[in-house]
Amino acid sequence: MKRILAIMLVLGIMLTSVTAMARAEVFSDISGHWAKSTIEKMADLGIVKGVGDGMFLPDREIKRSEFVVALHKVAEIEINYFKAPDINEFYSDVKNEDWYASPLYDMASLNIVDDRGKFRPNDLITREEMVHYLVNTYKYKLNAVLGDFDGEVGYFDDEESIKEQYKNSVKYAYKLGFVKGRGNGKFVPEGLSTRAEAMIVLEKLMQSLKEDVKDAVEVTPSFVKDKDGYKMTLTIKNSGKNEVVIIHGSGQKYDFVLLDDKKEEVYRWSEGKSFTMILTETHIPSGKTVEFSEVIDAKTYEEISGKVYYFKAMIVGSSEDFEINEDGYYLNLKEEKDNKLEIVPSYEKNEKTFTMKLKLKNTSDKDIIINHTSSQKFDFKLLDENKEIIYTWSADKLFMMMETETVIGAGKTVEFEEELDMESHKDVIGKAKYLKAYIVGTSEDCEIEKDGYEVEITESKENSLLVVPGYEKGEKTFTMKLKLKNASDKDITINHMSGQKFDFKLLDKNKEIIYTWSADKLFMMMETETVIGAGKTVEFEEELDMESHKDVIGKAKYLKAYIVVTSEDCEIEKDGYEVEIK
């Protein structure tokens, strides 16, 4: 038995390694393309392949057959037939040996592709056809019934030119955030979609399907006093329309852990227990709930209660039906402290001095008191690229051994800073890649990190660009904003590879992208530039209609703004500039 388990383990490791090494094609013609990240993601997932010679041809129109095959993969449809399928049951212009025939048969049999007679596989797909197949897939996967719009108008100025059989699909796709117009309020139903555009809408469909599953399964931990001690519970509620299955690698299906204030374990329910080494499953039907619970006896808990800050419940297993948080589901067992302290380390570097800073801002409506066991209230350390300490500010200093305190009034800020002479410390500062700032003391009013607060030291450019993302939410509109302020005394020039100068993305609570402003837009493929004069500000903003985008805006927890693309005058964050939506 042990030998069999060992072989299975080795095979599992080998398979994992092979999977980890598997990578998508590297395309030579998407560098700098607006859809580069999505194309690479879809290629990694096996949704799409290149056209040969390392090329993807992102701006080439996509054929109907190509789109349907990619859509079939996104939908993860697998059907076992009792007899060999014959595509001619549906289409007279397709042969069973055609490379796309099998997935097309699946899609036709499910009525996702509901054309009949001729499929026209080599025709380029139109926007209205593409959207229709997308919405049909959405309805099938979620078992959703989408009613008629009862003649509702106002989505696109050219909606009268949309074929009757596609009108509802186009309107639903717009409401779901799959597509937008192509400018001037027009949808352009007969317009053709490029391979890049197709990847964008397929990614949106994929995210929408995943989001529905995430919302459908609710995992809740609880820790309550029981007659025999404390009851630890993990509740999994399936509010979706399909059964959820969890696969466990052994007889263990769950675990419970108690942690201290540093989130280090002080108790684990499974410790010392043995479980059968066989695959087991937990089935949760639609609308049902499964509950796992164990009791920690009062005596055991009392011995460790002083150390316990957090309770963590874990699902031990995997599922293809919803995303399991491998880190577990937490509860804070200690009462949260009312006072909040915002702690920001920073630095300022010029030709003569390097200034280390630590800002403490009290964002609460009560005073915060920090107690120090000596006259030392703070400290600074410089770290090299390996995060090894190469300088400690307090190392050569003496402090009075007497208790002191720092009081930060409600809404007030206290700042500490120390200046280093560049000439005397040039070797240390030259090697420094990180600054760590420390509060030397304790507080009953707020949490203080004993390991300090770190900031990366980057090479600053001569010109400084202050980039501020923002938003404005009204009853009818949601406006996404990006402000660029030149804080230097020289012009800043930003170079763009196309007519696109900026972008906005909306992210959900898990920081998954649920909306991209540029996704369905076309930009002129010509180099442009934005020049921001000394002391001047440039602002970009885009407005979303609240009614049309209410589902997306309702889920949005973060806004990310992007500058597209580079500048020799300032640093531009490729990962964008984020602001929380409150």
Side-chain angles (χ1 to χ4, degrees), residues 225-371:
K225 188 170 178 55
D226 185 74
K227 62 179 181 178
D228 297 321
Y230 290 84
K231 186 177 181 180
M232 305 173 291
T233 306
L234 176 63
T235 304
I236 308 170
K237 181 179 180 181
N238 178 12
S239 300
K241 297 181 179 179
N242 298 309
E243 182 182 60
V244 165
V245 179
I246 304 171
I247 299 173
H248 313 280
S250 70
Q252 183 181 7
K253 299 182 177 183
Y254 55 89
D255 208 349
F256 299 113
V257 182
L258 296 174
L259 307 101
D260 63 16
D261 59 340
K262 295 300 180 184
K263 291 194 174 179
E264 294 180 356
E265 289 187 21
V266 295
Y267 168 86
R268 179 179 284 264
W269 168 78
S270 65
E271 187 174 349
K273 294 179 172 62
S274 58
F275 302 93
T276 56
M277 295 306 295
I278 59 173
L279 287 175
T280 57
E281 294 183 353
T282 296
H283 291 253
I284 312 175
S286 171
K288 300 297 183 180
T289 298
V290 165
E291 183 177 290
F292 302 120
S293 65
E294 297 292 340
V295 174
I296 176 173
D297 65 88
K299 182 179 179 181
T300 301
Y301 184 68
E302 285 171 5
E303 290 174 353
I304 61 173
S305 61
K307 300 178 182 179
V308 175
Y309 273 73
Y310 301 97
F311 167 64
K312 180 171 72 170
M314 305 174 70
I315 300 173
V316 181
S318 61
S319 177
E320 294 184 357
D321 301 317
F322 75 108
E323 185 176 340
I324 293 175
N325 188 340
E326 295 181 357
D327 191 39
Y329 303 85
Y330 285 82
L331 277 182
N332 189 341
L333 300 183
K334 295 289 186 181
E335 183 179 351
E336 294 227 8
K337 296 182 178 177
D338 293 331
N339 290 348
K340 303 295 180 183
L341 189 64
E342 184 180 298
I343 303 172
V344 182
S346 64
Y347 65 92
E348 192 174 299
K349 188 176 182 181
N350 58 41
E351 292 182 1
K352 294 184 177 181
T353 60
F354 181 87
T355 305
M356 304 172 290
K357 300 182 178 184
L358 177 60
K359 181 189 290 187
L360 314 180
K361 183 178 180 180
N362 181 355
T363 60
S364 76
D365 57 0
K366 298 179 182 179
D367 289 352
I368 289 180
I369 300 175
I370 302 173
N371 302 299

Side-chain angles (χ1 to χ4, degrees), residues 390-412:
I390 55 176
Y391 171 83
T392 301
W393 169 76
S394 64
D396 57 355
K397 296 177 175 59
L398 295 175
F399 301 95
M400 295 178 63
M401 296 307 294
M402 56 183 287
E403 291 187 359
T404 58
E405 64 179 29
T406 298
V407 180
I408 311 173
K412 302 297 183 181

Side-chain angles (χ1 to χ4, degrees), residues 346-347 356 380-382 434-437 453-455 457:
S346 64
Y347 65 92
M356 304 172 290
F380 295 107
K381 295 179 188 287
L382 295 176
Y434 302 91
L435 166 69
K436 263 201 173 184
Y453 303 86
E454 183 177 284
V455 62
I457 299 172

Side-chain angles (χ1 to χ4, degrees), residues 37-312:
S37 61
T38 296
I39 292 169
E40 290 177 334
K41 174 182 176 180
M42 301 302 267
D44 277 334
L45 294 172
I47 305 301
V48 69
K49 294 182 179 180
V51 297
D53 297 325
M55 306 284 279
F56 183 77
L57 299 182
D59 298 317
R60 191 190 80 181
E61 287 84 2
I62 189 168
K63 295 178 181 179
R64 285 167 53 81
S65 53
E66 293 173 329
F67 182 79
V68 167
V69 170
L71 182 60
H72 182 270
K73 292 178 180 177
V74 167
E76 297 181 337
I77 292 172
E78 294 182 9
I79 303 175
N80 296 315
Y81 299 99
F82 291 109
K83 63 176 183 177
D86 183 0
I87 195 64
N88 295 134
E89 294 175 20
F90 299 110
Y91 307 110
S92 60
D93 58 347
V94 180
K95 298 177 181 178
N96 286 313
E97 57 267 25
D98 289 333
W99 66 276
Y100 52 85
S102 180
L104 175 59
Y105 187 93
D106 288 348
M107 302 296 265
S109 66
L110 296 172
N111 224 33
I112 291 173
V113 177
D114 49 8
D115 312 277
R116 295 295 180 264
K118 291 186 179 295
F119 176 65
R120 300 176 287 111
N122 293 317
D123 283 5
L124 302 175
I125 196 166
T126 65
R127 283 166 58 79
E128 61 183 0
E129 291 171 338
M130 177 180 71
V131 163
H132 182 60
Y133 299 153
L134 277 174
V135 172
N136 281 351
T137 304
Y138 180 85
K139 290 192 293 185
Y140 166 74
K141 290 293 289 184
L142 301 182
N143 196 25
V145 178
L146 307 181
D148 292 334
F149 273 77
D150 299 325
E152 185 178 350
V153 295
Y155 285 84
F156 298 108
D157 293 341
D158 59 347
E159 63 183 34
E160 292 302 320
S161 62
I162 301 172
K163 291 185 179 65
E164 192 62 34
Q165 67 264 38
Y166 300 140
K167 281 186 177 180
N168 259 13
S169 293
V170 172
K171 289 176 180 179
Y172 268 112
Y174 181 78
K175 291 192 74 172
L176 291 167
F178 293 164
V179 293
K180 288 181 65 177
R182 277 194 167 174
N184 300 320
K186 296 184 181 297
F187 175 65
V188 193
E190 294 290 342
L192 303 176
S193 293
T194 65
R195 286 165 57 80
E197 289 173 329
M199 293 307 104
I200 293 292
V201 296
L202 288 171
E203 181 185 37
K204 287 182 177 181
L205 172 64
M206 188 186 307
Q207 289 171 345
S208 180
L209 296 176
K210 286 182 179 178
E211 185 64 29
D212 183 86
V213 172
K214 287 179 184 177
D215 292 342
V217 180
E218 182 180 350
V219 183
T220 307
S222 70
F223 186 89
V224 295
K225 188 170 178 55
D226 185 74
K227 62 179 181 178
D228 297 321
Y230 290 84
K231 186 177 181 180
M232 305 173 291
T233 306
L234 176 63
T235 304
I236 308 170
K237 181 179 180 181
N238 178 12
S239 300
K241 297 181 179 179
N242 298 309
E243 182 182 60
V244 165
V245 179
I246 304 171
I247 299 173
H248 313 280
S250 70
Q252 183 181 7
K253 299 182 177 183
Y254 55 89
D255 208 349
F256 299 113
V257 182
L258 296 174
L259 307 101
D260 63 16
D261 59 340
K262 295 300 180 184
K263 291 194 174 179
E264 294 180 356
E265 289 187 21
V266 295
Y267 168 86
R268 179 179 284 264
W269 168 78
S270 65
E271 187 174 349
K273 294 179 172 62
S274 58
F275 302 93
T276 56
M277 295 306 295
I278 59 173
L279 287 175
T280 57
E281 294 183 353
T282 296
H283 291 253
I284 312 175
S286 171
K288 300 297 183 180
T289 298
V290 165
E291 183 177 290
F292 302 120
S293 65
E294 297 292 340
V295 174
I296 176 173
D297 65 88
K299 182 179 179 181
T300 301
Y301 184 68
E302 285 171 5
E303 290 174 353
I304 61 173
S305 61
K307 300 178 182 179
V308 175
Y309 273 73
Y310 301 97
F311 167 64
K312 180 171 72 170

